[in-house]
Amino acid sequence: SSHDDIIINYETWDGTNWTAKIKVNADGSVIFTHAPNGDWSKSHDDTIINYKTWDGTNWTAKAKVNSDGSVIFTHAPNGDWSKSHDDTIIKYKTWGGTNWTAKIKVKSGSSVIPPAPTPAPAPAVNGQIVVNADEWTLSDHGFGVAPDTAKFALNVIKYFVGDNKGKFHALSNNFGLVGNVLEQTITKAGHAWTKGLGIAITLESLAHYDAIFIGGDPVNNQVLIDYVKNGGKVYLCAGTGYGGAQAEANQWNTFLAAFGLQFGGVYNGINGNIPVNNAGHPLFAGVQSLYENNGNSIVDLQPDSPLNLIILSHSSGQGLIATAEFIKTVTPPIPEPEPLPKPVDPDIIITAVADVYMSNLVYKGQVKRTQSDEYVELTNRGNKAADISGWKITSAGSAKQWFIFPAGSILDAGKSLRVYTNEVHPETGGYSFASKTAIWNDAGDELNLFNAKGENVATLTYGKARKK
């Protein structure tokens, strides 16, 4: 009859007894932690398990967790992966030589970390401006003399909000923006339209609208700049006679210059229905002509930029309608680094600023007097192998206690190694201080790990040292 457990007691190829438990990485790969005779103080991590199957033959297995939580073993006879096969179970001999079958299940709500999703491209916030040299275009008179004006007005709305229904406000008392025909055109299309100077001219206030329409009455230019840079849309018209041509241009040019445009300081004398010479632009879809009457011509300050364009010009070359865009890339928040796993010994405190860090320390060896089986463990929590050649482990308790990793020392991603006081264990890297006496003070010490540049990348303290 079956039972659940978090470990497997198995016979390895040489007939010795081992215990294994597993942990699952973020990418679904499985790490086996192996302990001889169940002694976790001598355990090591690996991606495989070498076991004897029911008929006593030698097999190697590795495991992978699928996205649905199921676990697949890949089995290879004598470690020959060219002859491997997949299965959901592992058949092994346990310590007493009896035959057992095991499968792994990942519990719902367990601490297994799912793969991190690939970050989506950062969304862009587009601020947009439509600039008209003259206010007469959208006036009731403009609608009356240029039959395509209604189409142009709705094209502007669509340019700002696409096929969505929008909320718009004419922040002006100028006749070119508060006429009945313009209001009826926009509201009949299902959009909200309000007008007047009765709203606060702040970023917070303007942010309630998809776009604002301005002209004549002054509006704080810095608020307008901030509004557009935060995704707001603006329709601006000039030629109103407010203060005279140069004063009117000055009134808006700080705002316009922030987006590569400028009003000229004289009225241009252009009057009448102006033929559209850029029918391919979406603002002019279905529009053949628009009315202008003595406005402030528009100058492109950055003609090489695709973000600001004069899209309608008079035959004399003077700019009459222009657009500008501001594209703000929203940077995704930087995720907090994964917290370090807690060490086995609660008396140990670990800090680290690199992927490779000191993950554990056994400072009380079982070997009398020499404590040769003490060890410090290093783990690579990163997603790629780390070259730790020339890295150094030191003790704050004694300048004589240090170890430098030789050339060619590589610690694979997700793997650990150990540096023993005076023992060599190839299965955990084979590193040793080769010290005939105990290194780590049972009462406490501070260990520091330095990279090849001499930078302190990790610290481990325990006992009296953690109280400093």
Side-chain angles (χ1 to χ4, degrees):
S1 61
S2 66
H3 68 275
D4 290 343
D5 208 331
I6 60 172
I7 61 172
I8 295 176
N9 291 320
Y10 68 98
E11 284 189 11
T12 190
W13 288 8
D14 61 5
T16 55
N17 296 330
W18 287 74
T19 299
K21 57 184 177 182
I22 73 164
K23 57 184 177 182
V24 182
N25 293 325
D27 62 357
S29 60
V30 171
I31 297 294
F32 294 92
T33 300
H34 302 276
N37 292 302
D39 184 355
W40 297 109
S41 69
K42 298 179 180 179
S43 66
H44 69 276
D45 289 347
D46 208 331
T47 59
I48 61 173
I49 178 172
N50 292 320
Y51 67 98
K52 283 188 177 294
T53 191
W54 287 11
D55 61 4
T57 55
N58 297 332
W59 286 75
T60 298
K62 55 186 177 182
K64 176 77 175 180
V65 179
N66 295 323
S67 58
D68 62 358
S70 62
V71 179
I72 298 294
F73 288 98
T74 300
H75 302 275
N78 292 303
D80 185 354
W81 297 109
S82 67
K83 299 178 180 179
S84 65
H85 69 275
D86 290 346
D87 206 333
T88 59
I89 60 174
I90 178 172
K91 294 184 174 181
Y92 65 97
K93 283 189 176 295
T94 191
W95 288 8
T98 54
N99 297 331
W100 285 77
T101 300
K103 58 184 177 181
I104 299 173
K105 59 183 178 182
V106 179
K107 291 184 178 181
S108 175
S110 69
S111 59
V112 174
I113 304 172
T118 302
V125 175
N126 284 14
Q128 295 173 304
I129 307 170
V130 175
V131 186
N132 194 331
D134 190 54
E135 88 277 32
W136 281 84
T137 303
L138 294 182
S139 68
D140 286 350
H141 180 79
F143 274 89
V145 298
D148 299 329
T149 301
K151 184 62 176 173
F152 171 70
L154 293 177
N155 287 345
V156 171
I157 297 299
K158 186 172 183 177
Y159 180 68
F160 286 156
V161 298
D163 293 327
N164 299 317
K165 299 304 179 185
K167 182 179 181 181
F168 306 98
H169 184 81
L171 187 55
S172 173
N173 285 328
N174 183 270
F175 74 95
L177 296 176
V178 297
N180 291 330
V181 182
L182 175 61
E183 179 175 358
Q184 291 169 7
T185 299
I186 293 175
T187 56
K188 283 183 179 179
H191 304 284
W193 177 262
T194 53
K195 54 192 176 184
L197 300 175
I199 65 171
I201 303 177
T202 64
L203 177 60
E204 293 75 17
S205 176
L206 300 189
H208 289 94
Y209 303 96
D210 294 298
I212 59 169
F213 287 63
I214 55 176
D217 300 284
V219 179
N220 184 295
N221 279 213
Q222 188 57 55
V223 172
L224 293 176
I225 292 170
D226 293 342
Y227 176 60
V228 172
K229 287 187 174 182
N230 281 277
K233 329 289 186 183
V234 173
Y235 178 94
L236 167 63
C237 58
T240 66
Y242 192 100
Q246 187 62 62
E248 184 164 14
N250 293 343
Q251 177 177 300
W252 303 113
N253 277 345
T254 298
F255 166 57
L256 290 178
F259 306 102
L261 299 173
Q262 178 180 284
F263 278 137
V266 296
Y267 294 131
N268 56 31
I270 296 171
N271 179 270
N273 284 358
I274 309 302
V276 169
N277 50 18
N278 187 9
H281 195 280
L283 286 180
F284 300 131
V287 179
Q288 297 184 6
S289 65
L290 294 170
Y291 184 69
E292 296 274 330
N293 185 4
N294 199 25
N296 293 78
S297 297
I298 306 166
V299 178
D300 188 346
L301 299 177
Q302 300 171 348
D304 294 332
S305 172
L307 296 179
N308 43 274
L309 301 169
I310 293 177
I311 60 172
L312 179 64
S313 297
H314 186 254
S315 58
S316 65
Q318 296 187 72
L320 301 180
I321 296 179
T323 60
E325 290 191 352
F326 177 80
I327 301 176
K328 177 183 178 181
T329 301
V330 179
T331 304
I334 300 174
E336 291 292 328
E338 288 289 334
L340 294 174
K342 291 184 178 180
V344 175
D345 189 336
D347 191 44
I348 292 174
I349 295 177
I350 297 170
T351 59
V353 296
D355 286 337
V356 176
Y357 70 103
M358 293 178 291
S359 54
N360 196 22
L361 174 70
V362 173
Y363 54 86
K364 290 183 179 181
Q366 300 301 309
V367 178
K368 292 183 178 180
R369 291 190 301 275
T370 64
Q371 297 191 50
S372 60
D373 55 336
E374 298 174 326
Y375 66 82
V376 56
E377 182 179 76
L378 270 63
T379 297
N380 181 359
R381 58 176 172 165
N383 55 15
K384 60 183 179 180
D387 185 350
I388 58 173
S389 304
W391 286 43
K392 185 176 182 180
I393 301 172
T394 68
S395 163
S398 172
K400 296 180 180 180
Q401 296 176 186
W402 51 267
F403 176 85
I404 297 178
F405 287 91
S409 296
I410 304 296
L411 184 53
D412 290 334
K415 293 295 187 69
S416 299
L417 59 79
R418 294 175 180 177
V419 183
Y420 281 83
T421 293
N422 196 22
E423 293 183 359
V424 175
H425 294 267
E427 72 275 13
T428 57
Y431 298 103
S432 174
F433 281 87
S435 173
K436 295 181 180 180
T437 59
I439 289 180
W440 308 115
N441 189 332
D442 290 353
D445 201 348
E446 175 182 299
L447 290 70
N448 290 291
L449 177 65
F450 298 88
N451 62 19
K453 297 179 181 179
E455 301 166 332
N456 189 339
V457 297
T459 299
L460 184 153
T461 58
Y462 66 98
K464 63 182 182 181
R466 62 178 289 178
K467 298 179 175 64
K468 291 182 178 180

